Amino acid sequence: MSYFDAASGLPLHPVAREALLAALDDGWADPARLHREGRRARVLLDAARETAAEAVGCRPDELTFTPSGTRALHTGVAGALAGRRRAGSRLVVSAVEHSAVLHAAAAHTAAGGTATEVPVDRTGRAGPEEYARALSPDTALACLQSANHEVGTEQPVGDVARACREAGVPLLVDAAQSLPWGPVDGPWALLAASAHKWGGPPGVGLLAVRKGTRFAPPAPSDERESGRSPGFENIPAIVAAAASLRAVRERAAAEAARLRALVDRIRARVPALVPDAEVVGDPVRRLPHLVTFSCLYVDGEALLHALDRAGFSVSSGSSCTSGTLTPSHVLKAMGVLSEGNVRVSLPPGTADAEVERFLEVLPETVAAVRAELGAPAPAEPPGTAPGDRTVDTLGRLCPVPVIELAKVIGEVPPGGVVTVLSDDEAARLDIPAWCEMRGQEYLGVEGTAHRVRRRA
């Protein structure tokens, strides 16, 4: 069974397991007490806080551990709004935020506040200019995720954070999906994340509130975690979360490059293999491990079960609406196809062979689901009309992609298109250069798919 739902959660990282077991022996006591056992627990808690703060890019005394990422978001929104109630009661969010932020916004408006929703483009990206225009004088807080949880599009957090700072408005960043891959850019004021997204134990969230940010913890509170997260700290789980975050970060760059190549392959080949399928999200500015596509004439739940029977665990429908598979608010905001939606998010260590097997199984699985529903015969997908050709050279280095292109260009009629699938960086230079030398028309590249039109 191939688990392709890393964006929902990951199994416990080996480092997290080791740290958890060790901390169970030494981290059970109350870290607020002055006896030996309490001091030992306090040392573990402080060390975990320093480790996590280094990964986040904040001071240790700015970081709070919470019972979940959702609780971190709810506390961050409520605390920042309460701390800036004299400035106003307006909350600004993007249309594609995680449901935890949207629920917090709904609670805020139900209590008499106001909320402004910033639209996104077809890739799921919110523009910095649109955010800047939404920052009215009565804005108390703005929220923006660092990367979208359903389609992987990275948001311009740095630019938005700078616009917010100029307007005197704090920005809360939901970094749940991006934090395992690196720190968040820009002068953000608050940040939230969740440990189970990087292989830490469930039930541990992070909330960073930078110094100078007005913040009033929601009542009731106590003396623990700066009053921002009441209750006895789960020190073993916190230690495991911090240790696994550091371990994941150490391999993040290499793993991101490897998984990005695999996702590029999926992005390029799904439209060629599955008629009437649309890959969504930004093809370049995106998380390295996540790709989402939608298929016409397919029920999402049926496709999910069919892929599960074929040995692949993926997400379908809205990843934030548990069990309902209702149309995703993210896809709606983007204005893209939501039928038969599949989110593939590859965990670290995913093998090349697993991705190839998925691409082998997917076309027949979609076709079977369509047949069960009595769907009409699908139209030819773009770039595969009669006379067009697709050449798969993924994993092969130049000059092979150019050689294979030269072999087949004469087999398509004038005006026909050859799509060359290549993940070799040199192909981005060599294929356009070959077209210029041979008088063919280079139509551009999307992901790993280079399209060339034959001229008469």
Side-chain angles (χ1 to χ4, degrees):
M1 191 75 180
S2 295
Y3 181 75
F4 284 179
D5 194 20
S8 293
L10 286 170
L12 200 63
H13 193 284
V15 169
R17 184 182 301 276
E18 182 179 348
L20 179 66
L21 292 175
L24 285 172
D25 291 332
D26 291 330
W28 53 267
D30 187 345
R33 302 308 171 195
L34 299 179
H35 46 61
R36 179 183 304 172
E37 292 81 3
R39 295 196 305 272
R40 186 180 300 149
R42 170 57 63 182
V43 168
L44 290 176
L45 181 59
D46 289 346
R49 198 183 310 278
E50 290 179 4
T51 298
E54 181 181 3
V56 169
C58 67
R59 293 168 33 163
D61 60 352
E62 295 173 332
L63 186 72
T64 297
F65 293 108
T66 67
S68 68
T70 295
R71 175 52 60 190
L73 286 170
H74 288 175
T75 300
V77 171
L81 287 172
R84 283 179 46 82
R85 60 187 178 276
R86 292 183 179 179
S89 63
R90 183 173 300 279
L91 172 64
V92 175
V93 301
S94 83
V96 294
E97 293 300 308
H98 190 279
S99 59
V101 172
L102 299 184
H103 292 161
H108 175 60
T109 56
T114 57
T116 297
E117 194 172 89
V118 179
V120 297
D121 63 19
R122 193 172 173 82
T123 70
R125 189 173 188 266
E129 299 81 7
E130 285 76 8
Y131 251 91
R133 285 194 292 269
L135 301 175
S136 57
D138 64 339
T139 301
L141 176 68
C143 300
L144 180 64
Q145 56 191 192
S146 53
N148 186 259
H149 48 289
E150 290 197 34
V151 301
T153 297
E154 293 179 338
Q155 300 292 354
V157 172
D159 292 337
V160 172
R162 284 181 279 274
C164 287
R165 184 172 61 179
E166 290 178 6
V169 175
L171 177 69
L172 184 154
V173 178
D174 173 10
Q177 293 295 337
S178 73
L179 192 61
W181 303 105
V184 176
D185 178 40
W188 48 265
L190 304 98
L191 181 144
S194 185
H196 73 279
K197 302 294 187 181
W198 63 72
V204 179
L206 307 180
L207 174 62
V209 182
R210 279 180 165 159
K211 296 296 182 183
T213 303
R214 291 188 174 275
F215 192 90
S221 62
D222 60 23
E223 71 281 358
R224 297 180 187 274
E225 294 299 305
S226 303
R228 294 169 185 163
S229 184
F232 198 98
E233 297 94 342
N234 186 347
I235 294 177
I238 288 171
V239 169
S244 55
L245 178 57
R246 179 170 56 190
V248 166
R249 279 287 191 83
E250 288 174 352
R251 296 185 52 83
E255 193 63 18
R258 197 181 68 82
L259 293 181
R260 185 175 290 276
L262 295 179
V263 167
D264 281 344
R265 186 181 307 179
I266 297 173
R267 291 187 65 91
R269 291 178 63 181
V270 165
L273 294 170
V274 181
D276 293 321
E278 178 184 21
V279 179
V280 299
D282 196 300
V284 178
R285 295 174 296 191
R286 58 172 176 80
L287 291 169
H289 69 305
L290 194 154
V291 56
T292 296
F293 57 88
S294 300
C295 307
L296 273 175
Y297 316 125
V298 171
D299 175 75
E301 186 173 4
L303 182 55
L304 177 71
H305 287 303
L307 287 171
D308 185 64
R309 290 192 297 271
F312 295 95
S313 301
V314 297
S315 296
S316 181
S318 174
S319 64
C320 300
T321 309
S322 176
T324 66
L325 295 178
T326 56
S328 159
H329 72 278
V330 171
L331 301 180
K332 281 185 176 181
M334 294 166 60
V336 298
L337 179 67
S338 62
E339 291 182 43
N341 176 251
V342 174
R343 181 185 70 175
V344 175
S345 47
L346 306 178
T350 299
D352 183 280
E354 291 183 274
V355 171
E356 281 300 316
R357 190 169 69 86
F358 175 76
L359 291 170
E360 290 175 5
V361 166
L362 181 65
E364 61 191 52
T365 304
V366 173
V369 173
R370 284 173 170 164
E372 290 177 3
L373 296 174
E380 289 290 332
T384 59
D388 290 357
R389 292 288 301 274
T390 297
V391 178
D392 188 349
T393 64
L394 291 167
R396 307 182 72 183
L397 302 178
C398 278
V400 172
V402 177
I403 292 172
E404 295 301 316
L405 169 60
K407 286 180 180 178
V408 303
I409 192 70
E411 299 175 6
V412 301
V417 174
V418 175
T419 299
V420 182
L421 305 180
S422 174
D423 50 9
D424 181 21
E425 189 62 30
R428 293 179 177 268
L429 299 175
D430 292 356
I431 293 177
W434 180 89
C435 291
E436 181 70 21
M437 293 171 64
R438 291 291 181 266
Q440 306 300 339
E441 182 180 1
Y442 184 64
L443 300 178
V445 59
E446 182 174 346
T448 58
H450 301 258
R451 300 181 72 239
V452 177
R453 177 180 288 127
R454 183 187 175 190
R455 289 177 174 159

